[in-house]
Amino acid sequence: MQLSREDLLEAYRRMRLIREFEDAVHEEFAAGNIPGFVHLYAGEEASAVGMCMHLDDRDRIASTHRGHGHCIAKGCDTRAMMLEIFGKREGLCAGKGGSMHIADLEKGMMGANGIVGGGPPLICGAALAAKTLGTGGVAVAFVGDGGSNQGTTLESYNLAKVWNLPAIFVIEDNGYAESTASSWSVGGSQTGRAAGFGMPGTEVDGFDFFAVWEAAREAVERARAGQGPSLLHVRLSRYYGHFEGDACTYRAADEVERIKAEKDPLLLFRRRVGEAGLLEPEDLDAIDRQAREQIAACVRDAKGAAYPGEADLTTDVYASY
Ligand SMILES: Cc1ncc(C[n+]2csc(CCOP(=O)(O)OP(=O)(O)O)c2C)c(N)n1
Ligand SMILES: [Mg+2]
């Protein structure tokens, strides 16, 4: 399996859309236009996109509190997402979820999650359903390094193994859980933990889209072939604070600037496809322009849209089956 020219353009488009989306949300939050708590995914794009490029409508993902990138990578509509984050009625969840509870079940995006470690049990259910119904689908949980220490995550590894589920755990290790360094808080190693549960675990350079794509390909192939769960330990970095408003006193002043200059995932992608003669800079510049315009339009629409009204208060409270 190889990446076609269309795949490369699509991967770059999704990564650029995530970056533009997050930069725009950062600005709008600072201007006081967005209610609630917001955690941004900028810098981590290669992880969500490298994995989701292998997924289709059969497949489910569970996200974290840092969920916008996972949504965009899985194909959620950026306009409906932006409206949701602004709390507007036409948002993806009718303006009732916001950033941390954004979901789109039609796209197999089971939700951002305010509960750290909440995603892994969900994907065990989704993977069990896929296995039982024989859909060929896989289920992927994105989990932070902090989330990797939750009992729910470790219990899910065990369930996924004993039930031989088409499940993949993507540990997005951005070096911190809030202000706590993962080098200080994670015992043993992520791949060692995977081995302890009898599943393959792979260390992945999360700045390198191609490395994530390759490791994800193997994990998805295994899952679809009925060979059970896998874990990827993806090392990456977040560019903004833990949440919008975080003063980041626990990080060296130049830490992020250095990473941005040396190994930004979009920069690395551009360099790699350029050196290999796979895409022209103009192809990528056109995507940059389109993404900027698309996200600017989302923000304009979100600002102009209506909030839910009183009559919306009691709808969407219970699910009907
Ligand atoms: C069960 C639970 N405990 C604590 C919190 C508070 N909390 C929110 S995010 C966070 C840190 C998560 O770190 P990590 O999993 O590494 O994800 P990152 O923010 O780095 O993407 C914590 C402790 C929570 N939301 N849920
Ligand atoms: Mg973290």
Side-chain angles (χ1 to χ4, degrees), residues 190-300:
Q190 303 290 355
T191 51
R193 290 177 182 189
F197 287 94
M199 61 178 163
T202 310
E203 286 264 355
V204 189
D205 176 356
F207 298 96
D208 179 355
F209 164 81
F210 296 94
V212 179
W213 185 88
E214 186 56 35
R217 181 181 65 78
E218 277 178 35
V220 172
E221 277 178 8
R222 272 178 49 79
R224 293 212 201 279
Q227 292 169 356
S230 314
L231 179 146
L232 306 185
H233 177 197
V234 183
R235 292 183 185 277
L236 32 68
S237 185
R238 65 167 152 77
Y239 286 174
Y240 292 113
H242 170 66
F243 60 96
E244 286 310 278
D246 180 0
C248 279
T249 49
Y250 50 89
R251 283 183 110 169
D254 64 345
E255 185 182 315
V256 173
E257 290 318 311
R258 223 167 0 93
I259 291 169
K260 273 187 190 170
E262 289 167 13
K263 46 187 188 176
D264 176 71
L266 287 143
L267 202 70
L268 292 189
F269 185 99
R270 286 186 75 112
R271 196 178 296 156
R272 181 88 175 269
V273 296
E275 282 167 4
L278 296 168
L279 296 176
E280 297 301 317
E282 301 80 62
D283 298 326
L284 301 166
D285 293 345
I287 290 175
D288 290 351
R289 268 195 312 278
Q290 284 160 7
R292 205 168 308 130
E293 284 164 18
Q294 178 175 331
I295 299 303
C298 294
V299 171
R300 268 199 309 278

Side-chain angles (χ1 to χ4, degrees), residues 44 65-66 143-147 172-178 180 182 236 238 242:
E44 307 192 8
H65 51 287
R66 202 174 297 291
V143 186
D145 45 286
E172 297 188 319
D173 183 354
N174 58 14
Y176 300 94
E178 298 196 358
T180 304
S182 54
L236 32 68
R238 65 167 152 77
H242 170 66

